[in-house]
């Protein structure tokens, strides 16, 4: 069974990294999956929260920081150290088949993808805490997390099961942190519900 999953993983990696490719994705995935690309989004979220809920919403900011810390440390310091799986771009048996789109192959282990864990953890936390305020726009965070995770395979630094496991782990952590936040604290009342509704 495990050998079958491993073979499927290798084959799907090869398809995503080498076959299902085009120049547009080649140009955009390297920067799309880079953490620094999304600093403006994080700043927007901070401003959005503070403008609509006031300074009492600092607990939301604190909990999303806690959430990202948990997802990152659990994936990097616990699961990766247990699994000890080499990245495809560092595996001697795979490296000749990898189409590497970055100028380096990250250090550390491959399973799970911390990018997938962190971004799905954030997406689920944001969804669970803000969905009643943001309507269908909130689902874009899942698209954001999914495309960043897919990009990790596309550029050659992770296998599909790495990002799948990361997405599952991150989603569970994000849900649990959001559940605690919503039950124990929760967002304060909107500063101006009428203005918020007009801006959606």
């Amino acid at each position: 069974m495990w050998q079958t999953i491993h073979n499927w993983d290798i084959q799907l990696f090869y398809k995503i990294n080498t076959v299902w490719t085009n120049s547009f994705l080649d140009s955009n995935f390297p920067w799309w999956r880079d953490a620094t690309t999304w600093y403006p989004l994080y700043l927007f979220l901070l401003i959005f929260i503070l403008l609509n809920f006031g300074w009492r919403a600092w607990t939301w900011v604190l909990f999303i920081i806690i959430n990202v810390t948990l997802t990152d440390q659990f994936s990097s310091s616990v699961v990766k150290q247990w699994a000890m799986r080499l990245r495809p771009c560092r595996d001697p048996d795979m490296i000749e088949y990898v189409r590497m789109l970055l100028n380096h192959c990250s250090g550390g282990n491959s399973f799970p993808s911390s990018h997938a864990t962190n971004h799905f953890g954030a997406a689920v936390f944001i969804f669970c805490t803000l969905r009643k305020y943001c309507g269908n726009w909130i689902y874009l965070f899942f698209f954001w997390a999914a495309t960043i995770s897919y990009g990790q395979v596309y550029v050659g630094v992770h296998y599909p099961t790495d990002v799948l496991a990361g997405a599952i782990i991150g989603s569970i952590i994000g849900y649990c942190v959001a559940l605690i936040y919503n039950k124990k604290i929760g967002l304060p009342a909107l500063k101006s519900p009428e203005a918020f509704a007009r801006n959606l």
Side-chain angles (χ1 to χ4, degrees), residues 5-108:
I5 294 173
H6 177 71
N7 292 338
W8 168 84
D9 203 22
I10 298 296
Q11 292 169 16
L12 186 56
F13 169 82
Y14 181 77
K15 291 286 188 182
I16 294 172
N17 178 247
T18 307
V19 179
W20 301 334
T21 63
N22 59 57
S23 58
F24 175 80
L25 297 179
D26 287 357
S27 299
N28 288 284
F29 263 134
W31 65 264
W32 182 266
R33 38 75 58 199
D34 190 280
T36 59
T37 299
W38 300 104
Y39 287 170
L41 174 63
Y42 308 145
L43 179 61
F44 168 79
L45 279 172
L46 176 62
I47 294 171
F48 173 85
I49 288 294
L50 295 180
L51 282 180
N52 287 288
F53 297 97
W55 287 104
R56 287 191 300 156
W58 68 268
T59 53
W60 187 91
V61 178
L62 174 63
F63 265 73
I64 200 168
I65 292 172
I66 291 171
N67 181 68
V68 172
T69 302
L70 287 173
T71 55
D72 187 66
Q73 289 304 305
F74 186 73
S75 64
S76 298
S77 301
V78 178
V79 186
K80 280 186 178 181
Q81 299 309 311
W82 167 76
M84 295 295 287
R85 185 185 199 185
L86 292 173
R87 294 178 184 270
C89 52
R90 288 189 177 274
D91 188 337
D93 296 328
M94 283 293 298
I95 195 166
E96 63 178 293
Y97 305 106
V98 176
R99 192 176 67 105
M100 190 66 185
L101 296 183
L102 306 180
N103 58 14
H104 69 287
C105 180
S106 302

Side-chain angles (χ1 to χ4, degrees), residues 70-159:
L70 287 173
T71 55
D72 187 66
Q73 289 304 305
F74 186 73
S75 64
S76 298
S77 301
V78 178
V79 186
K80 280 186 178 181
Q81 299 309 311
W82 167 76
M84 295 295 287
R85 185 185 199 185
L86 292 173
R87 294 178 184 270
C89 52
R90 288 189 177 274
D91 188 337
D93 296 328
M94 283 293 298
I95 195 166
E96 63 178 293
Y97 305 106
V98 176
R99 192 176 67 105
M100 190 66 185
L101 296 183
L102 306 180
N103 58 14
H104 69 287
C105 180
S106 302
N109 297 312
S110 188
F111 183 92
S113 164
S114 292
H115 270 70
T117 310
N118 295 343
H119 288 87
F120 269 96
V124 170
F125 178 84
I126 292 167
F127 176 81
C128 291
T129 55
L130 293 179
R131 61 180 167 179
K132 69 179 180 180
Y133 302 105
C134 298
N136 290 332
W137 290 103
I138 201 74
Y139 291 99
L140 287 175
F141 283 99
F142 291 108
F143 174 80
W144 167 71
T147 53
I148 288 173
S149 299
Y150 184 88
Q152 291 295 90
V153 182
Y154 191 93
V155 302
V157 297
H158 279 291
Y159 294 101

